[in-house]
Amino acid sequence: MSQIQERGSTHVYKVNRISKEEMDGMVARCVYEEPAFCNAACPLKLDTRAMLKAAAAGDFKKALQIYEKAAPFPLILSAGCEAPCENKCRLCERGDGIAIRAVEAAVSRYGQASRLGGVFRTKKKKTVAVLGSGLFPLFLAGELEKKAYPTTVYCEQEDLERFLRSAAGFLDGEAFQLELKRLKGKDLAFVFDCEIDEAFLSARRDDSDVLCASEEVARRLFPETAFDPALMICEAERLVTGFGEGVMNAAFGAKKAALTVDRLAQNLDPRNMRGSEGAIESRLYTDLTEADELRRIAPAGEAYTAEEAAREAKRCIQCHCEECMKSCAYLKHYKKYPGLLSKEIYNNTQIIMGDHQLNKPMNACTLCGQCTVVCPNGFDMAHVCAVARRNMVSTDKMPLAPHEFALMDMLFSNGEAFMSRLQPGYEKCRYVFFPGCQASAIAPETVKAAYLDLCERLEGGVALMLGCCGAICDWAGRYEMQESTREFLLTELSKLGDPVIIAGCPSCRKELAESVGGEIVGIWDVLEEIGLPEGAHGLDRPAALHDSCGARGDAHTQQAIRSLAAKLGVTLVETEYSGDRSPCCGYGGLTAYANPEVASEITARALERSDAPYISYCMACRDRFARQGRESRHILELVYGTDAGAPPDISEKRYNRLSLKKELLWELWQEETADMKLDYELNYTEEARRLMDGRMILTDDVIAVLNDYRETGEAILDSDSGLMIARKRLGNATFWVKFTESGEDAYTVHGAYSHRMNVVRREG
Amino acid sequence: MAIERNYYTIDPEGKLQCLKCRVPLVKGKAKFMYLDNGFPVELPVCPVCGFVYVPEELALGKVLSVEKALEDK
């Protein structure tokens, strides 16, 4: 038996199959982290979406906390803000946008103010003086208090109420009192009755580290000096100040000014490290199809009550782009959007020493490409995972365990079970039928019927090649095996005179087109041309068509299959996610081997689309659906009137391939192959077969263990269970078989298990 | 020096027998090896021929979890 070399763990290679820049470019396609449109439109960067979510849940305390991050005086802001967010609300495209400002006002009124400015906060050492009155000094003082700068406000007014009135005289009585209370609660020092002139300013320059002033004070004292509106600073005088009219301007100016103060206080250039400021454009994608509450809640009085505000906030559809996660069970399982997951998987490939914690997610993607189709920006998770797998193989960090069974199965398909023959009576064939390894494993009768039909109805001769196209090693990232498979297939095809390949499976077709090239058609194309054979008939009840991921982006094949189904008289039911948007059945990318749990979720998701029987055109899909208990048929079973029946277990799949080869070789080419008969009797309990299938233990493995036992007599007896237990190291694993013996030459297997670690006796 | 670990106890003693040598297995020294790593352990061993027995619960429990941890290193 051939063997795959297990990796070592002592050497270190560094290989980058994908550059950081390329990765960043890919990650940027994912817009999940983009701000909501309302949030992006707000110069104050209010997380409107989160605030509305809290308000919708009736949690006004939390909503206010979010609002206060953007607005230290929420009632003033909500009363005077121009609300650029409201026009950007996506609901405007279908009806009324959310009344964000009115909800903000309710949140400010009914929410409980946070108590951030308490005595326990560590204050910064540098002090700030704010001179003058009005909206800008008020907001700036609020921002500086949030940043924990000891701040003193010097104003001409004689008390706090007059100071606040100079800024927000437009507030009504109750709101004014609430904001006054809020201002009193802030950790700010006030000096009233100040006469602000040059001497006063110069004295403040001496007793504080950073000096700020209202626009009025700045213009009065330095009428000739230029101000920088981006930094809110008069650099010549090292004076931070505000400009412009209106509440929003003042609030945004105060934010920029507070950042400038921050930089100046640390003796840093205020131009640098400012991050993103002001409104931006969002690249977020929002699906509006499910938006149904399109009309604004009208307040019964002048303003929203808490209950009305919550109802209005509930209309918010919480813009998020989750198109891929809605459709892909793999992304749903890991609860990570592809931008983040890709970054983590990329980092996983870069780890030289330490745990590769993302191996499992990297190997759980089916590489089906559905995300690329459903993503508004074409994010290609399959590419990320496929490159990452190859990268891990290049650095010898890829564990063999998740893929070894599948790879060994491929070696079996292209070894013991492989066959390639010209049609009897021909010295050269125009075609070669390549049904694919899964078709021979799952529906050998169908393969035989299809081959005989092609031989009969096609002119020029049809050769037969039973083997694997190489998709298995491609999916596993084993690029060296992929290359050797390509060379092997090229040689075999050349022996047949390089005929046109008739693929029986869309994934084989795709893989072969990329590897060996040449002219390749699908058997569905041929059947379209030559028509259905006699006796072909569809199902007598409506069925759902599952498009294979191998045919994604291949409208021609998808159409040919539909046309075949129509000719067979099958009534197809429409399903969500069909055609290019079809999900994977769970077999692709070797997920079924590397991560059976995720594979089951993927299969279940694919089956959620319809309760009808499923018709597929890839044998692996047929098998996955049948294994989950759904009536599942490959379209060729309908074409040839065969029924592959219940899904075979892993040993039967191998047996089927060998039997098909043996049968065809004998019947068509009169070649006899060695008998596979054992010289003893071997039975399995049902439980043993079930365990073996789940644990990926073949009957061949069991036979190897028992052969060894018969030769060496090495085994133990467990007197508790009365079972004998023998073992043998086969390739990279040790297999243990629990059995009973009846007479010399009859055994019943009760169980089997394996481990990859090698165990040896230790002396001393 | 690495600590020897014992993950399995033969209970009752003598319940496991080497069929070839017709003697009960005893607690003995063994070593697990995987991906260039070695772990000294104590396992049921035949005192005559040295057959080392890895019980199913150990193979599918501790051994599997250590394998997985090493595979991801």
Side-chain angles (χ1 to χ4, degrees):
Chain A
M1 191 169 78
S2 44
Q3 191 182 333
I4 304 164
Q5 184 69 40
E6 180 62 276
R7 73 182 178 98
S9 63
T10 48
H11 33 247
V12 171
Y13 303 111
K14 185 112 178 85
V15 179
N16 246 357
R17 284 179 171 259
I18 188 162
S19 70
K20 174 106 182 38
E21 291 67 31
E22 203 186 331
M23 192 65 213
D24 289 345
M26 265 195 270
V27 169
R29 284 179 174 224
C30 178
V31 295
Y32 182 88
E33 274 191 333
E34 284 285 304
F37 298 93
C38 47
N39 177 201
C42 176
L44 306 180
K45 306 234 178 280
L46 166 63
D47 190 351
T48 325
R49 181 173 56 190
M51 184 198 70
L52 290 171
K53 189 177 180 182
D59 189 349
F60 281 66
K61 183 180 170 189
K62 188 175 170 194
L64 183 57
Q65 278 170 4
I66 297 166
Y67 191 33
E68 277 188 321
K69 276 188 198 160
F73 296 96
L75 280 163
I76 300 178
L77 187 73
S78 60
C81 170
E82 292 89 350
C85 51
E86 290 191 356
N87 294 333
K88 292 281 184 177
C89 176
R90 294 293 306 273
L91 287 181
C92 295
E93 293 164 36
R94 301 276 308 277
D96 299 335
I98 305 287
I100 298 171
R101 205 172 70 152
V103 175
E104 283 169 358
V107 162
S108 312
R109 209 173 283 266
Y110 305 114
Q112 201 180 340
S114 70
R115 299 179 179 277
L116 253 180
V119 285
F120 299 113
R121 274 176 78 206
T122 315
K123 288 229 177 172
K124 293 201 168 87
K125 289 206 173 71
K126 299 287 175 77
T127 58
V128 187
V130 179
L131 276 54
S133 56
L135 274 171
F136 173 76
L138 175 70
F139 284 150
L140 179 57
E143 295 290 345
L144 292 171
E145 195 243 8
K146 272 202 285 183
K147 288 180 185 284
Y149 280 103
T151 305
T152 310
V153 180
Y154 299 88
C155 60
E156 290 109 342
Q157 288 78 10
E158 59 245 53
D159 58 30
L160 206 55
E161 188 173 337
R162 286 188 172 80
F163 171 76
L164 183 63
R165 199 163 295 286
S166 78
F170 52 84
L171 282 186
D172 65 34
E174 191 200 343
F176 185 84
Q177 289 309 319
L178 281 169
E179 288 299 52
L180 185 60
K181 194 176 153 203
R182 198 186 309 273
L183 180 57
K184 280 179 183 163
K186 291 208 184 281
D187 191 10
L188 292 166
F190 281 87
V191 178
F192 301 107
D193 294 321
C194 300
E195 198 172 308
I196 302 169
D197 54 17
E198 269 184 70
F200 185 87
L201 186 129
S202 142
R204 299 291 78 74
R205 210 185 278 288
D206 292 339
D207 59 26
S208 51
D209 294 299
V210 185
L211 197 57
C212 311
S214 66
E215 185 178 5
E216 183 273 321
V217 170
R219 290 208 188 282
R220 178 156 55 80
L221 300 182
F222 309 106
E224 303 299 319
T225 318
F227 296 93
D228 181 344
L231 306 179
M232 310 302 284
I233 192 173
C234 157
E235 281 213 275
E237 302 297 335
R238 224 178 129 74
L239 181 70
V240 179
T241 184
F243 315 85
E245 308 254 309
V247 173
M248 176 55 88
N249 244 331
F252 182 36
K255 276 225 178 295
K256 288 194 282 182
L259 185 56
T260 300
V261 169
D262 221 1
R263 303 285 299 168
L264 291 174
Q266 298 173 70
N267 286 327
L268 297 167
D269 189 335
R271 280 171 197 80
N272 300 335
M273 303 285 285
R274 296 189 70 91
S276 149
E277 288 180 290
I280 53 169
E281 286 293 324
S282 176
R283 297 188 302 125
L284 192 65
Y285 171 84
T286 307
D287 178 14
L288 293 175
T289 49
E290 282 174 28
D292 46 6
E293 296 288 332
L294 298 172
R295 293 285 155 246
R296 270 191 187 179
I297 305 293
E302 271 183 29
Y304 278 147
T305 62
E307 185 269 333
E308 285 166 343
R311 269 170 54 213
E312 176 65 6
K314 212 173 264 180
R315 289 207 309 123
C316 169
I317 55 170
Q318 293 288 310
C319 290
H320 265 117
C321 179
E322 290 180 342
E323 295 308 295
C324 53
M325 293 168 89
K326 275 194 249 172
S327 56
C328 173
Y330 155 70
L331 290 169
K332 207 177 250 178
H333 177 90
Y334 286 103
K335 297 186 182 68
K336 281 180 181 160
Y337 54 93
L340 176 66
L341 192 56
S342 297
K343 256 190 271 182
E344 292 182 354
I345 286 176
Y346 173 77
N347 293 341
N348 193 61
T349 65
Q350 304 298 304
I351 299 167
I352 293 172
M353 302 290 278
D355 287 345
H356 293 77
Q357 291 179 351
L358 268 284
N359 277 358
K360 234 177 163 187
M362 177 185 77
N363 286 329
C365 172
T366 61
L367 312 179
C368 78
Q370 185 198 28
C371 54
T372 314
V373 179
V374 296
C375 171
N377 294 317
F379 197 98
D380 195 347
M381 196 70 212
H383 180 61
V384 171
C385 289
V387 174
R389 289 181 200 181
R390 281 199 284 276
N391 209 108
M392 294 286 286
V393 169
S394 314
T395 53
D396 214 7
K397 291 287 180 195
M398 178 66 125
L400 183 56
H403 296 146
E404 188 175 22
F405 185 89
L407 292 167
M408 291 299 290
D409 208 44
M410 189 193 92
L411 293 181
F412 171 80
S413 294
N414 284 349
E416 216 180 323
F418 182 82
M419 70 164 280
S420 175
R421 292 286 185 282
L422 290 164
Q423 183 175 337
Y426 284 80
E427 287 193 356
K428 196 172 180 299
C429 286
R430 196 168 153 205
Y431 305 99
V432 57
F433 180 42
F434 193 98
C437 59
Q438 292 304 301
S440 305
I442 295 158
E445 283 301 312
T446 311
V447 171
K448 184 179 170 187
Y451 180 59
L452 294 177
D453 179 45
L454 294 175
C455 283
E456 192 186 314
R457 295 200 290 149
L458 283 181
E459 279 178 22
V462 184
L464 178 67
M465 192 180 281
L466 299 181
C468 169
C469 61
I472 303 282
C473 47
D474 185 8
W475 288 339
R478 304 272 161 182
Y479 52 90
E480 282 169 350
M481 278 177 91
Q482 197 184 354
E483 184 51 32
S484 57
T485 306
R486 188 180 88 92
E487 280 168 15
F488 168 74
L489 291 175
L490 277 173
T491 310
E492 291 297 329
L493 286 166
S494 129
K495 282 186 208 164
L496 298 175
D498 291 319
V500 174
I501 301 172
I502 301 175
C505 156
S507 291
C508 295
R509 189 195 133 122
K510 191 174 160 204
E511 184 71 30
L512 292 172
E514 283 165 14
S515 61
V516 300
E519 197 180 335
I520 307 171
V521 294
I523 188 169
W524 46 90
D525 294 316
V526 176
L527 291 170
E528 266 284 86
E529 210 173 299
I530 63 175
L532 293 175
E534 260 180 56
H537 62 87
L539 294 176
D540 53 6
R541 54 208 174 285
L545 180 69
H546 171 77
D547 284 289
S548 152
C549 49
R552 199 181 307 287
D554 179 0
H556 170 78
T557 297
Q558 292 170 17
Q559 194 43 49
I561 297 290
R562 280 164 176 74
S563 159
L564 266 186
K567 284 183 192 162
L568 282 163
V570 180
T571 313
L572 293 180
V573 290
E574 283 295 321
T575 64
E576 196 194 1
Y577 296 114
S578 74
D580 280 348
R581 293 164 65 86
S582 179
C584 179
C585 67
Y587 183 80
L590 304 184
T591 308
Y593 300 96
N595 200 326
E597 182 196 351
V598 174
S600 289
E601 288 169 26
I602 292 169
T603 313
R605 177 79 186 91
L607 285 174
E608 264 173 27
R609 293 170 298 164
S610 171
D611 294 329
Y614 270 42
I615 293 177
S616 44
Y617 45 103
C618 162
M619 207 54 88
C621 304
R622 187 245 185 243
D623 187 54
R624 292 289 307 172
F625 298 147
R627 275 172 170 258
Q628 296 250 359
R630 181 64 62 94
E631 184 180 350
S632 164
R633 305 295 295 274
H634 190 283
I635 197 151
L636 289 180
E637 289 177 76
L638 304 180
V639 169
Y640 292 107
T642 50
D643 184 353
D649 69 19
I650 50 169
S651 299
E652 286 163 343
K653 282 184 182 176
R654 284 208 175 182
Y655 176 81
N656 285 348
R657 271 173 280 181
L658 278 184
S659 300
L660 177 68
K661 174 183 170 181
K662 188 177 155 73
E663 188 180 326
L664 289 172
L665 277 178
W666 176 244
E667 286 179 16
L668 297 179
W669 290 275
Q670 283 76 51
E671 288 178 35
E672 201 166 357
T673 38
D675 218 339
M676 298 179 285
K677 211 168 167 352
L678 288 172
D679 52 4
Y680 51 90
E681 192 187 321
L682 184 54
N683 298 302
Y684 297 84
T685 62
E686 220 169 272
E687 174 67 359
R689 272 316 265 254
R690 194 187 60 78
L691 286 177
M692 284 164 63
D693 197 44
R695 293 172 183 174
M696 290 194 255
I697 297 171
L698 297 163
T699 48
D700 279 356
D701 301 327
V702 170
I703 290 167
V705 174
L706 286 175
N707 286 346
D708 189 67
Y709 161 70
R710 283 166 64 85
E711 204 171 292
T712 63
E714 287 181 8
I716 63 147
L717 174 69
D718 184 338
S719 59
D720 269 0
S721 59
L723 295 174
M724 295 155 78
I725 307 167
R727 56 93 180 90
K728 185 168 172 60
R729 184 86 183 160
L730 296 167
N732 295 314
T734 305
F735 292 84
W736 296 80
V737 176
K738 293 180 170 181
F739 62 101
T740 48
E741 198 169 3
S742 36
E744 281 250 319
D745 290 324
Y747 306 93
T748 303
V749 175
H750 295 261
Y753 58 96
S754 69
H755 52 81
R756 300 181 67 82
M757 284 217 203
N758 201 2
V759 65
V760 291
R761 182 88 194 267
R762 178 169 54 98
E763 301 299 332
Chain B
M1 202 185 122
I3 308 159
E4 288 177 16
R5 293 183 192 280
N6 180 11
Y7 296 110
Y8 183 79
T9 313
I10 311 172
D11 182 32
E13 231 171 275
K15 77 157 187 163
L16 300 169
Q17 196 192 34
C18 175
L19 279 172
K20 192 179 177 185
C21 311
R22 300 283 164 192
V23 291
L25 300 192
V26 294
K27 191 160 91 170
K29 294 184 173 187
K31 190 171 149 189
F32 274 120
M33 291 185 303
Y34 193 44
L35 302 172
D36 303 336
N37 295 277
F39 308 93
V41 284
E42 287 191 332
L43 285 173
V45 173
C46 171
V48 181
C49 70
F51 187 109
V52 185
Y53 173 53
V54 182
E56 181 169 357
E57 56 272 33
L58 183 62
L60 303 180
K62 190 70 193 170
V63 170
L64 182 64
S65 65
V66 175
E67 279 172 9
K68 287 194 169 168
L70 287 173
E71 280 159 11
D72 289 344
K73 286 283 171 206

